[in-house]
């Protein structure tokens, strides 16, 4: 970042305070208020961090008004069209697209680290059969720190590197095993002759009694879904990973914290919630009833898959996701998907409704991802797991960037206290 010639002046209690302003390479400038409390004896107040940059980052850029998403400068549309998930991982982790030998080395390392320590597979049977796979993910990924002790020292760059590659390599195996356990089927081990996404599909859908045939259109769609979800700047789960990491927690624990945060319906859980909502709507004639509910301030119902904290325009990922949904349905010969009909109609109704237009509420990535994932054969409970699998590389890239940032300190927000002031303890008999 570079210091801007401008500065910000704030008047408080009749006194002026000056703060430096910094520019990034693109996007809004920031006012550096790190000395604000020391200088003014006041805190800034920003619930939900809507106007607060928590860090400096070189990884992902979003222009929410224009509907732009860049990974290390590359538009998401180009990566989804011409790239694949493995090179997207390399790009996010190391800052550049790999050349031939870099790609070979990275892909081989990821492929040959995809097996889990055999004892880890025992964890799955410790969960109830009806456990949500996200609960299993939080537990098993957190438990990696109990198995891979040789990569938990965050101060050793080599250990950080090993932990990073282990997680990118093993998350698909853990996710697939969470699914197999949930489905009541035997666990399927990774196959090193397959690509990252094809291997993931075979670990989810192969059964010992017959050969599993890879469908290149479906594995390409899976890969694209992973690319679209790989990183998204300082969202709630990424901020959670950074905050957990700022205390010096080990990388596996930090990623488990990110998975826990992602689970919520306002974040990664929205893809599951969006598909459930489309199912509840059922037929296009019921759309007005649900749109009316979404607009009613006394009804907590929201149109899931609509709106975004940052995008005040069409989410660029949603456009690619919509195309991918059509490709997958076409490949599987699904001519008429009633939920797709509901989705298309709902999108049109909302895009033309004053309430949604005024608030700039557009479909987000979760609106079409559920339809695609369901067509690929995943139950709704797996949707957020797939998001977590893909986002792991983004979380790791952000975590590594934070650890390597010389300005990094433990994250410690402050508060506006409105509770009781001093009170004397009362014995039970006087309460
Ligand atoms: N349906 C109906 N009204 C909505 C919706 C919605 N989906 N989203 C926002 N609004 C309204 C909201 O009621 C408020 O209206 P008003 O100004 O009259 O009070 C206005 O739009 C602004 O909403 P907000 O809650 O202040 O916006 P936010 O930035 O805090 O929330 C959001 C963003 C994504 C949590 C929210 O839009 C939402 O709950 N959407 C549905 C859940 C969803 O699809 N989440 C996935 C996000 S994309 C994937 C990811 O990044 O994880």
């Amino acid at each position: 970042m570079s210091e801007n010639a401008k500065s910000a002046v704030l008047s408080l209690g009749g006194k002026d305070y000056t703060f430096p302003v910094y520019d990034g390479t693109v996007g809004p400038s920031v006012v550096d208020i790190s000395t604000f409390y020391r200088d003014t004896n006041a805190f800034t107040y920003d619930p939900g961090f809507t106007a607060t940059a928590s860090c400096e980052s070189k990884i992902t850029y979003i222009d929410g008004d224009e509907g732009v998403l860049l990974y290390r400068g590359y538009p998401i549309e180009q990566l989804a069209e011409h790239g694949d998930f493995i090179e997207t991982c390399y790009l996010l982790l190391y800052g550049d697209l790999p050349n031939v030998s870099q790609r070979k080395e990275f892909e081989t390392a990821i492929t040959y680290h995809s097996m889990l320590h055999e004892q880890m597979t025992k964890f799955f049977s410790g969960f109830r059969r009806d456990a949500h796979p996200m609960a299993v993910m939080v537990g098993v990924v957190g438990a990696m720190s109990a198995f891979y002790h040789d990569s938990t020292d965050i101060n050793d760059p080599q250990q950080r590197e090993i932990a990073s590659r282990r997680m990118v390599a093993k998350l698909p195996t853990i996710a697939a095993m969470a699914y197999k356990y949930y489905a009541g089927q035997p666990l399927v081990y990774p196959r090193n002759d397959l690509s990252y996404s094809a291997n993931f599909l075979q670990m989810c859908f192969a059964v010992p009694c017959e050969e599993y045939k890879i469908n290149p259109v479906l594995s390409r769609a899976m890969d694209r879904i992973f690319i679209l979800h790989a990183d998204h700047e300082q969202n709630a789960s990424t901020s959670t990973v950074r905050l957990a990491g700022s205390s010096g927690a080990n990388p596996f624990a930090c990623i488990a914290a990110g998975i826990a945060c992602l689970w919520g319906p306002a974040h990664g859980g929205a893809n599951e919630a969006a598909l459930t909502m489309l199912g509840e709507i059922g037929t296009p004639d019921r759309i007005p009833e649900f749109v009316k509910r979404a607009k009613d301030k006394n009804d907590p119902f929201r149109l899931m898959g609509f709106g975004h904290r940052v995008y005040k325009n069409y989410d660029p990922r949603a456009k690619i996701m919509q195309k991918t949904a059509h490709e997958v349905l076409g490949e599987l010969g699904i001519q008429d998907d009633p939920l797709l009909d509901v989705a298309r109609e709902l999108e049109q109704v909302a895009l033309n409704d004053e309430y949604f237009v005024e608030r700039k509420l557009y479909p987000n990535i979760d609106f079409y991802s559920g339809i695609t994932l369901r067509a690929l054969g995943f139950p709704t409970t797996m949707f957020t797991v797939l998001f977590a699998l893909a986002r792991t590389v983004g979380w790791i890239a952000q975590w590594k960037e934070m650890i390597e940032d010389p300005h990094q300190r433990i994250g410690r927000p402050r508060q506006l206290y409105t509770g009781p002031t001093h009170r004397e303890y009362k014995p039970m008999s006087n309460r």
Side-chain angles (χ1 to χ4, degrees), residues 266-267 270 297 302-306 308-309 355 359 364 366:
H267 192 7
K297 290 291 159 217
R302 282 187 168 198
L303 280 190
M304 300 313 285
F306 267 83
H308 197 276
R309 171 60 62 80
Y355 173 96
R359 289 167 180 75
N364 58 50
D366 293 321

Side-chain angles (χ1 to χ4, degrees), residues 283-297:
T283 46
D285 58 301
R286 296 192 62 209
I287 289 173
E289 180 195 324
F290 281 82
V291 169
K292 194 169 162 221
R293 282 187 60 198
K295 296 184 332 190
D296 180 356
K297 290 291 159 217

Side-chain angles (χ1 to χ4, degrees), residues 71 74-85 87-88 220-221 223-228 316-317 319-321 323-324 327:
Y71 292 166
Y74 293 99
I76 190 67
E77 293 84 354
Q78 292 183 20
L79 292 167
E81 181 74 24
H82 307 296
D84 68 7
F85 185 62
E87 68 174 6
T88 302
R220 176 78 188 120
D223 204 71
R224 198 171 287 144
I225 290 170
F226 290 158
I227 296 172
L228 297 182
R317 303 167 304 169
K319 283 190 194 144
I320 306 167
M321 204 64 244
K323 193 170 156 239
T324 307
E327 280 170 16

Side-chain angles (χ1 to χ4, degrees), residues 287 291 295 303 306 314 343-363 367:
I287 289 173
V291 169
K295 296 184 332 190
L303 280 190
F306 267 83
Y314 214 100
R344 273 204 212 103
E345 179 73 22
L346 179 60
E347 180 180 349
Q348 284 318 308
V349 171
L351 288 178
N352 292 301
D353 188 295
E354 202 184 320
Y355 173 96
F356 291 89
V357 174
E358 238 174 40
R359 289 167 180 75
K360 301 187 175 167
L361 300 171
Y362 290 86
F367 192 61

Side-chain angles (χ1 to χ4, degrees), residues 73-122:
Y74 293 99
I76 190 67
E77 293 84 354
Q78 292 183 20
L79 292 167
E81 181 74 24
H82 307 296
D84 68 7
F85 185 62
I86 278 288
E87 68 174 6
T88 302
C89 289
Y90 189 96
L91 174 68
L92 288 170
L93 291 171
Y94 305 113
D96 272 314
L97 287 168
N99 62 27
V100 174
S101 63
Q102 287 165 333
R103 183 190 163 106
K104 191 160 181 267
E105 185 280 326
F106 182 67
E107 191 166 22
T108 306
I110 296 302
T111 304
Y112 283 88
H113 282 90
S114 53
M115 274 178 71
L116 293 186
H117 188 296
E118 189 58 20
Q119 216 180 325
M120 278 198 86
T121 61
K122 307 271 188 300

